Amino acid sequence: MAIVLSSPEVDELDSALGALREWQHEGAPMQLHPGDLGWFRRFGAAATAAAVRTWSRHGRILAVGLLDGPDLLRLTTAPDARQDEELARRMAADLTGPERGVLPEGKVSVEAPRDALLQEVLRADGWDTGEPWTPLRRDLTEPVPDPGVRIEVVGPELAPERAAVQRAAFDGSTYGEERWQAMAAGPMYADARCLLARDAQGRAVAIVTVWSAGPGRPGLLEPMGVHRDHRRRGHGRAITLAAAAALRELGSSSALVCTPSANPGAVDTYASAGFRRMPEVRDRCREL
């Protein structure tokens, strides 16, 4: 049976999420995580379903992609399908042809596991490499040190403060309370926690959302941010420690995060919280 490309309906997203959870394991390269779909859910259920692509054979999902913007597809495959030539070539054709309904004409990017055959197929087809990103990992076998600041778990009553810190942490962000509500209403949030850090004066200074993929599997930080008026005071390290501790409580085996290598401050913040740098990764880029 041929490989089938599809975009799930809202009530079919659970299958894609289940596959993503199953594919998370220690030692895997940085890859699309269920938490990435959970964070995208801030745009609503219909938008999330419309942004997902799956590749299946004999009814089994072999690859899942998320259009994280109109020109960026972030994807991963089942571990045993990373070197599947039929899958790699079918995916490359779908990514290259705008008529396939995955990526448009013009400059586009694809994030894929570095050990996937798709990387080599795209390279041979003329796809270049993009800017480097630094993945980081913290093992959660041992207890995580106390962050040293007041940490609160965000619920509906704290959503306005959490949203305000998000906007103050990321230039151009339009994140509002309604986006948090949409995110928290998604099924992925059942395995997530949203945390807010306060300084000694009680001011909200940093936020993070963490996503578990289930006990014994790596969890993800997405996003983490510090209010622009409260930086360089250790709040980034503190909220990152709190994030690691929350994932450990959720049963995660490790905590993962990925940040642009061009942002050394972010890399250093994660490293200060016990995260270990892993080899840099780059997207595949093409311009038609």
Side-chain angles (χ1 to χ4, degrees):
M1 183 180 290
I3 291 172
V4 177
L5 165 67
S6 62
S7 181
E9 299 295 330
V10 170
D11 60 1
E12 298 172 330
L13 273 175
D14 283 350
S15 295
L17 281 168
L20 283 177
R21 288 191 185 96
E22 181 183 337
W23 300 342
Q24 309 302 314
H25 63 89
E26 289 301 329
M30 197 71 190
Q31 61 178 335
L32 188 70
H33 189 277
D36 292 310
L37 270 64
W39 174 235
F40 196 92
R41 183 57 165 70
R42 68 194 185 277
F43 298 117
T48 303
V52 172
R53 299 291 183 273
T54 62
W55 285 263
S56 304
R57 183 169 54 206
H58 301 301
R60 180 197 174 200
I61 295 176
L62 298 177
V64 176
L66 173 68
L67 283 163
D68 202 358
D71 56 0
L72 169 63
L73 182 75
R74 304 176 61 198
L75 64 85
T76 192
T77 72
D80 62 351
R82 293 275 159 84
Q83 295 298 309
D84 186 313
E85 185 172 357
E86 181 187 17
L87 176 64
R89 295 198 178 282
R90 170 59 195 269
M91 292 177 73
D94 291 336
L95 300 177
T96 300
E99 73 281 359
R100 303 290 184 98
V102 181
L103 289 167
E105 294 183 351
K107 187 174 182 179
V108 295
S109 300
V110 172
E111 175 193 292
R114 55 184 171 83
D115 64 345
L117 181 61
L118 177 63
Q119 289 274 3
E120 291 305 309
V121 174
L122 292 177
R123 181 191 60 79
D125 287 347
W127 288 61
D128 204 349
T129 53
E131 296 299 315
W133 288 68
T134 299
L136 300 102
R137 172 187 179 275
R138 180 185 170 112
D139 182 81
L140 297 178
T141 304
E142 301 296 330
V144 179
D146 187 279
V149 297
R150 177 180 163 193
I151 301 292
E152 297 179 359
V153 177
V154 176
E157 71 287 348
L158 291 180
E161 280 189 283
R162 184 255 183 268
V165 175
Q166 177 85 24
R167 294 192 301 273
F170 298 96
D171 293 340
S173 173
T174 58
Y175 190 87
E177 180 182 358
E178 72 286 350
R179 291 275 172 86
W180 185 89
Q181 297 284 1
M183 178 186 75
M188 301 77 99
Y189 198 73
D191 296 323
R193 296 287 185 277
C194 202
L195 308 177
L196 181 147
R198 296 190 185 277
D199 64 9
Q201 288 72 45
R203 298 172 296 196
V205 295
I207 54 90
V208 70
T209 304
V210 298
W211 306 88
S212 167
R217 302 182 185 277
L220 179 73
L221 281 67
E222 179 62 43
M224 186 280 282
V226 178
H227 194 295
R228 66 173 63 92
D229 295 337
H230 302 283
R231 291 174 180 161
R232 298 180 180 85
R233 301 174 192 176
H235 300 315
R237 177 180 182 274
I239 196 70
T240 301
L241 285 171
L247 283 173
R248 189 172 188 271
E249 290 176 5
L250 289 167
S252 298
S253 54
S254 63
L256 302 173
V257 70
C258 196
T259 192
S261 300
N263 186 353
V267 175
D268 290 345
T269 293
Y270 293 122
S272 73
F275 282 67
R276 177 177 57 84
R277 295 176 176 87
M278 297 189 291
E280 286 183 332
V281 295
R282 295 172 183 259
D283 294 347
R284 284 286 171 185
C285 303
R286 178 220 69 196
E287 187 165 3
L288 288 180

